[in-house]
Amino acid sequence: MREPAGARLGLEMEMVVVRRGSGASHAAERYPLALAAIKRGRGEDIRLTMVGDRAIGATGPLGESGFDNGYNLLETAFAPVAGGPGGLDRLAAAVRTELADVREALGAEDAAVLNAAEHPAAALDTEHYLRMRVPRPIYAELVRHRGWLHRIGIDAKAQNGPCTAVPVASAARALNVIVALAPAFVALFANSPLQDGRVTGLKENRMLLWDRMFRHARFAGDHRLQQPPERPFADLGDYFRWMFAPDTVSRGLPLALDQGDDEYKSAASVYLDGHPSLGRFLRAPSWMGRRADNGAPVTLKPHAGHFEYSQFAHFLDARYRYRLASRPPLQDLLSAWERPGGIEALYASLGVDGYIEGRAPGAVFPDRQLCDEAGVEVAGRAPMAASALQLGVLRNLDAAEDLVRDWGWLRLRGMRTTAIRMALEDDRVRALAADVLAVAGQGLPPAERSWLAYADHVLASGRTGADRLLELWTRTPGCVAEKLRAVYAWRALCVPGA
């Protein structure tokens, strides 16, 4: 019997931070310390992550809580919970606890979480960016070395990324369906119609982040790696050939592999001379480069660990993320990479823990507006809806693949832009969302289908988070500051039952 998807479930939950009352963007620099104190008060063992003398994260039994790119955007990477019967319930319990802790920690500095996938009126200028940006070493590489417009995301663009364990044998199939069906996820969880105090004309403006960030990057391949491919991946080898193709340039590689395995955003890294692709570097005996931190020359010898480390190099709507129990000799990896199904067979022999990281769903949380419209129970299930949708789709993989074939890969690829612009106002996108919800519902046991309640409500009503936010913004008279106050009053996070 084939192992089903969802043996373990995780979530990367991002949250927009605002000042209480005004709704203005807020730098919650004291948040990790306040959160750690709350969790330690329950007897939890909490470890702080530091950059210099600043705490940027607090890690404990529930996972790692801290900042994403800026002090105005929180992120919790939940520790995986056991899947199977009751798996979504277990993850939901962790989410409820975390949201209650987040609300209490932010309250200590008169701040709160806003139900939005992007702050409605935060600045994007360089001064604001430098003030808000978390001082991780990798950001120097992205901005100065690769030429990314990193500040385009400093207005707290927030996703709700479900992480669903998948067997390595079906990993490429699972990745394909989540990439192909992304328009449905974008539409159902659209929640960012505003930017810099202006109506954008889009329902999910957040999703243009990657195109804008890489459009004028130093290396053209960076822009290509955020665009869905023109065909599905044949297997994991095909996926990695796409990711590390000759037209791409390797990201900075860790100076010491044991330093970079877990904390790639903080690892000391090396820029390779001549800007080769990762594939080209791995096939060389060694390669000259220079340290990113001080420019000192370095000779780097390729290692299979560089391949595993570089798995984060693209920005599609879904990624296959994994950790190997042991690493192969480099030549074994390179040989397996060229054989159909070779990566799958090799990784299975080594022991692999892999999952699909969904990146299309916008952050959605319960608030006063949603509770009034859909009821407290539906609102309370909103943060879990994307996880339930992805789990149901991957648990019903054959039907999901049939759905992709029926709609057509290239047609779905083209619908992504429509979903960003119109969400469920487009009849085709709404029909796709209905099909995806049906497949997901069939993939979940009856006891867990209620976790789709928010997505069901959005489809039935045709009103996404973006529609509710846009209606509130446009009906409120006055200047941006007055509109923000109204948005805060109706859209601040509430935690039903907490």
Side-chain angles (χ1 to χ4, degrees):
M1 181 180 294
R2 291 185 300 181
E3 179 188 352
R8 297 204 302 166
L9 303 174
L11 177 65
E12 293 188 4
M13 184 174 69
E14 297 175 353
M15 295 158 277
V16 176
V17 184
V18 298
R19 293 286 295 178
R20 283 184 172 176
S22 72
S25 188
H26 175 72
E29 296 184 53
R30 291 175 287 163
Y31 165 73
L33 295 174
L35 190 71
I38 292 167
K39 293 176 180 294
R40 285 169 176 164
R42 288 200 300 267
E44 295 180 18
D45 183 18
I46 300 297
R47 174 177 58 85
L48 290 173
T49 300
M50 308 294 294
V51 172
D53 61 353
R54 288 191 175 189
I56 63 167
T59 301
L62 287 183
E64 182 176 0
S65 310
F67 304 111
D68 187 62
N69 62 330
Y71 295 115
N72 58 348
L73 179 59
L74 310 184
E75 179 180 14
T76 297
F78 286 91
V81 302
L88 289 173
D89 296 333
R90 285 185 284 276
L91 183 58
V95 170
R96 280 195 300 271
T97 298
E98 181 72 358
L99 288 177
D101 288 351
V102 169
R103 187 175 63 172
E104 182 180 349
L106 289 177
E109 54 184 294
D110 203 29
V113 169
L114 192 71
N115 177 22
E118 175 179 8
H119 190 278
L124 289 165
D125 59 78
T126 301
E127 181 182 353
H128 178 76
Y129 169 68
L130 294 175
R131 185 171 66 252
M132 285 289 183
R133 185 182 68 179
V134 176
R136 290 191 177 96
I138 196 172
Y139 296 149
E141 174 191 346
L142 305 186
V143 176
R144 294 202 295 265
H145 180 64
R146 303 193 79 92
W148 293 6
L149 189 63
H150 193 238
R151 65 175 172 82
I152 199 68
I154 204 63
D155 59 346
K157 292 180 170 70
Q159 68 181 43
N160 187 6
C163 299
T164 312
V166 292
V168 67
S170 58
R173 297 174 60 208
L175 179 67
N176 284 334
V177 300
I178 300 302
V179 169
L181 300 177
F185 285 81
V186 171
L188 288 167
F189 301 100
N191 203 18
S192 58
L194 305 161
Q195 179 173 292
D196 198 17
R198 294 175 290 104
V199 174
T200 64
L202 308 172
K203 295 297 178 69
E204 189 65 338
N205 182 71
R206 172 190 67 93
M207 287 296 290
L208 295 188
L209 168 63
W210 310 115
D211 175 68
R212 292 166 174 168
M213 186 179 296
F214 306 139
R215 190 176 297 165
H216 303 295
R218 180 181 185 186
F219 307 118
D222 290 354
H223 188 264
R224 180 178 68 78
L225 291 181
Q226 56 84 36
Q227 301 172 67
E230 294 185 355
R231 60 172 178 80
F233 300 113
D235 58 11
L236 286 181
D238 189 31
Y239 170 60
F240 291 122
R241 284 190 293 275
W242 170 86
M243 195 189 314
F244 306 133
D247 71 324
T248 65
V249 173
S250 174
R251 297 276 288 274
L253 297 175
L255 184 63
L257 283 168
D258 59 349
Q259 186 181 29
D261 289 348
D262 299 315
E263 297 295 338
Y264 75 86
K265 289 185 179 180
S266 300
S269 60
V270 175
Y271 303 152
L272 300 174
D273 290 350
H275 315 306
S277 66
L278 184 76
R280 186 180 173 198
F281 163 71
L282 291 175
R283 291 173 173 84
S286 62
W287 205 282
M288 289 296 298
R290 56 187 175 87
R291 288 183 56 138
D293 54 355
N294 59 22
V298 175
T299 299
L300 204 60
K301 187 174 181 179
H303 187 283
H306 291 125
F307 189 87
E308 183 179 359
Y309 172 86
S310 299
Q311 63 185 274
F312 58 85
H314 75 79
F315 290 83
L316 289 185
D317 297 332
R319 291 172 173 156
Y320 175 62
R321 300 300 304 270
Y322 68 93
R323 181 186 296 275
L324 296 175
S326 61
R327 286 174 176 155
L330 178 58
Q331 192 54 52
D332 290 356
L333 172 67
L334 294 176
S335 297
W337 195 6
E338 298 304 320
R339 295 194 303 270
I343 292 290
E344 286 86 344
L346 177 65
Y347 280 14
S349 72
L350 296 168
V352 61
D353 179 12
Y355 62 92
I356 301 300
E357 173 197 0
R359 296 164 48 80
V364 177
F365 297 100
D367 61 23
R368 175 185 169 193
Q369 187 187 39
L370 182 58
C371 286
D372 281 2
E373 179 179 297
V376 172
E377 184 173 352
V378 170
R381 293 178 180 272
M384 284 294 299
S387 292
L389 190 64
Q390 180 165 294
L391 175 62
V393 167
L394 295 181
R395 276 291 184 99
N396 200 6
L397 188 55
D398 289 344
E401 288 181 316
D402 288 343
L403 190 61
V404 172
R405 280 190 288 269
D406 290 345
W407 279 87
W409 181 273
L410 290 178
R411 184 184 182 197
L412 290 168
R413 187 175 186 263
M415 287 172 64
R416 182 178 183 273
T417 300
T418 307
I420 291 169
R421 187 176 71 253
M422 300 181 65
L424 298 182
E425 285 188 2
D426 181 83
D427 290 341
R428 293 182 309 154
V429 173
R430 191 165 184 172
L432 174 66
D435 286 349
V436 172
L437 261 171
V439 167
Q442 293 161 8
L444 295 177
E448 296 191 335
R449 289 175 190 163
S450 62
W451 289 115
L452 293 171
Y454 173 78
D456 286 335
H457 168 77
V458 169
L459 180 67
S461 67
R463 282 170 54 81
T464 66
D467 294 304
R468 296 190 299 274
L469 179 54
L470 194 59
E471 178 184 81
L472 178 59
W473 185 267
T474 55
R475 81 180 184 213
T476 302
C479 64
V480 167
E482 292 169 319
K483 290 175 181 291
L484 271 181
R485 282 193 290 271
V487 167
Y488 175 82
W490 287 94
R491 303 276 297 204
L493 168 70
C494 64
V495 186

